[in-house]
Amino acid sequence: MTTEPAEPVPAAPAPASGPAGPAVPPPPAAPPVAPEAFASETGVPEAVAPKAPRRPRPVLLTACALVLGTLAGGGVGYAVQAQRPPTPLPPLQAARPAYPAERVDPAALAAEQPAPLGIDGDLTKLLIGAPEGSTPWGERPDKPSWISIGELAEQRSGAADTFKDLASRGFRRAAQVNWKKDGVFYRVQLVQFTEDRADEAKSGYWPLPFAENANGGYKVDIVPTHWAESTEQYYYGGAHAKRGSVEMTIEVLDTKPANPDTLKDLAKRQWERLG
């Protein structure tokens, strides 16, 4: 068996002498994986984009400040009020009932009371009635009846102005009776105003007296007047008087001048019923 020496390993060649080339930069390091990274289905972690920081909401901060301020103010006020001594309430003051020392005179007490109404009760019972042999005047009642302020105004010229005049003068109520006899139309009317407006009852200008103590008078026209919106003529005769808060009016419409004696008799009888 022969032994052969091992072949020597050739040494690495020495670097060539001469100027060195430019240094090669190292490869860039891999970017660090964010903590929120998670493994994908392949097992390789993936980076998650970081979220922007949340800004505080002004409305929520304002509400919190109001609540805290209210609680703090209430607590401070309660602490201050608790340290103050209690304030006693003022005593209740009430006048004791007073009674007259002497007995009241009934007559003197009655004299101090307001005067009763001059004319009260049912006005229809104060009206004179239609005489025998008379007939109704169209649709107008021939028996004493109540009438409204509107019906009263419609019987006079210028109904709208008459209505306003009566209402402004304290109109209270009215009653009336009508009849026709021998072709002559008659109307007797009572109009009452409130007691505080008793002076509003007007007597007007009635030159001829029908009674000595009557607060009014009568007149008879000698010039005819036309019916409203017609060519028919009539002669007017009327009497008027005022007692307290009541006006009394009597009207006669005839195709010839009214009989003054008949008019005076009606006015006098009606005036006496108001007394």
Side-chain angles (χ1 to χ4, degrees):
M1 175 178 172
T2 62
T3 304
E4 297 180 356
E7 296 181 358
V9 178
S17 59
V24 179
V33 180
E36 295 82 3
F38 57 91
S40 63
E41 295 179 357
T42 59
V44 181
E46 296 179 356
V48 179
K51 297 181 179 179
R54 179 176 297 178
R55 296 181 179 179
R57 298 181 179 179
V59 177
L60 181 60
L61 292 178
T62 303
C64 294
L66 292 176
V67 173
L68 293 177
T70 303
L71 294 177
V76 172
Y78 178 80
V80 172
Q81 186 67 24
Q83 295 177 1
R84 295 179 179 177
T87 303
L89 296 175
L92 297 177
Q93 297 180 358
R96 295 183 178 181
Y99 300 96
E102 301 178 356
R103 298 185 61 182
V104 178
D105 183 8
L109 181 61
E112 295 177 357
Q113 301 303 316
L117 297 176
I119 297 177
D120 202 5
D122 192 348
L123 286 184
T124 60
K125 295 181 179 180
L126 297 178
L127 282 170
I128 59 176
E132 295 182 0
S134 62
T135 57
W137 179 0
E139 297 180 355
R140 304 180 186 275
D142 59 343
K143 295 182 179 180
S145 305
W146 295 104
I147 59 173
S148 66
I149 184 174
E151 294 171 334
L152 186 62
E154 289 178 352
Q155 296 176 7
R156 305 181 183 180
S157 59
D161 294 336
T162 301
F163 184 93
K164 295 178 181 179
D165 177 67
L166 291 172
S168 64
R169 291 165 53 197
F171 173 86
R172 181 185 174 189
R173 56 183 181 168
Q176 181 176 290
V177 60
N178 307 269
W179 69 87
K180 178 181 178 181
K181 185 176 182 180
D182 300 330
V184 183
F185 298 91
Y186 298 88
R187 174 189 295 150
V188 182
Q189 192 176 85
L190 298 179
V191 180
Q192 187 171 25
F193 299 85
T194 57
E195 287 298 315
D196 58 331
R197 306 290 296 275
D199 293 338
E200 299 292 341
K202 302 177 182 180
S203 59
Y205 178 70
W206 306 85
L208 304 175
F210 59 82
E212 294 181 359
N213 61 343
N215 183 15
Y218 79 97
K219 63 180 179 179
V220 175
D221 291 347
I222 58 175
V223 178
T225 304
H226 287 278
W227 291 101
E229 300 180 359
S230 69
T231 58
E232 297 183 15
Q233 296 181 345
Y234 68 93
Y235 290 84
Y236 178 84
H240 191 96
K242 171 179 174 291
R243 185 185 290 275
S245 60
V246 176
E247 284 182 354
M248 121 184 171
T249 303
I250 298 176
E251 296 176 301
V252 179
L253 308 178
D254 199 349
T255 54
K256 59 183 182 297
N259 187 338
D261 294 334
T262 303
L263 181 59
K264 289 170 57 178
D265 179 66
L266 289 175
K268 184 177 180 180
R269 288 193 293 116
Q270 181 59 70
W271 173 259
E272 292 174 351
R273 291 179 67 89
L274 294 180

